[in-house]
Amino acid sequence: MGNYDDIIGLPHHVSEVHPQMGRVDRAAQFSPFAALTGYSDAIRETGRLTEERVELDEDMKEGLDEKLRMLKYQIEEGDYPEAAITYFQPDNRKEGGSYVTVSGRVKKIDGYGQAVVMVDGRRVLIKDIAGLSDLGIDRKIY
């Protein structure tokens, strides 16, 4: 005779005091939980790659200044030249950042704010610019 032979044939007990738990609630008891809240986000953030800012040499800086002067001249002539600007965008959470390229029409070169202002309102700081190409002339100017 087995250990449970004496109870194997008994009817299932149903409490008269406590209502039965629904299937969804019963299943929720066995679902996993995050013991370390935010741990997976921290791991993901640590694994996210950033780039280091590349310092431009003097020749590259002079070339970039010349391109900015060309854009400023076109703006003074009454044109909003179309350009693609590659710039360094610092990361808000960790050291480094990423290089981003924006394209569009340039509204003005703001000497006071040291920024290139696009027609759509975006501002790119001149100190962050790494490359510039004039799309209206269809030639790279960096």
Side-chain angles (χ1 to χ4, degrees):
M1 184 163 204
N3 292 339
Y4 300 105
D5 287 344
D6 58 333
I7 62 171
I8 203 76
L10 294 177
H12 177 71
H13 172 72
V14 177
S15 174
E16 295 175 6
V17 179
H18 302 291
Q20 280 193 324
M21 186 181 288
R23 287 183 179 268
V24 173
D25 293 331
R26 187 168 180 78
Q29 299 183 82
F30 302 103
S31 66
F33 68 99
L36 301 174
T37 306
Y39 181 71
S40 62
D41 293 337
I43 294 293
R44 194 175 314 111
E45 177 63 25
T46 303
R48 188 171 54 87
L49 299 177
T50 59
E51 298 177 79
E52 293 292 322
R53 181 189 299 259
V54 176
E55 281 298 320
L56 303 178
D57 62 20
E58 289 304 315
D59 291 336
M60 294 173 79
K61 287 180 183 178
E62 287 176 19
L64 193 55
D65 285 342
E66 178 62 31
K67 295 165 205 162
L68 288 170
R69 279 192 291 275
M70 289 171 55
L71 283 176
K72 189 172 185 174
Y73 174 76
Q74 289 177 336
I75 293 167
E76 288 170 355
E77 292 295 312
D79 187 24
Y80 291 141
E82 191 164 338
I85 302 171
T86 301
Y87 67 98
F88 184 77
Q89 185 175 41
D91 195 293
N92 294 333
R93 296 183 185 169
K94 58 196 292 189
E95 192 172 321
S98 61
Y99 282 93
V100 179
T101 301
V102 294
S103 298
R105 297 207 172 275
V106 178
K107 182 177 180 180
K108 72 178 182 175
I109 309 291
D110 181 5
Y112 180 73
Q114 293 293 304
V116 175
V117 181
M118 309 298 274
V119 171
D120 62 6
R122 290 181 289 186
R123 296 177 62 85
V124 178
L125 295 177
I126 292 173
K127 69 178 181 75
D128 292 335
I129 296 176
L132 179 63
S133 62
D134 187 339
L135 300 176
I137 300 174
D138 199 36
R139 65 181 172 90
K140 280 197 169 187
I141 56 176
Y142 71 89

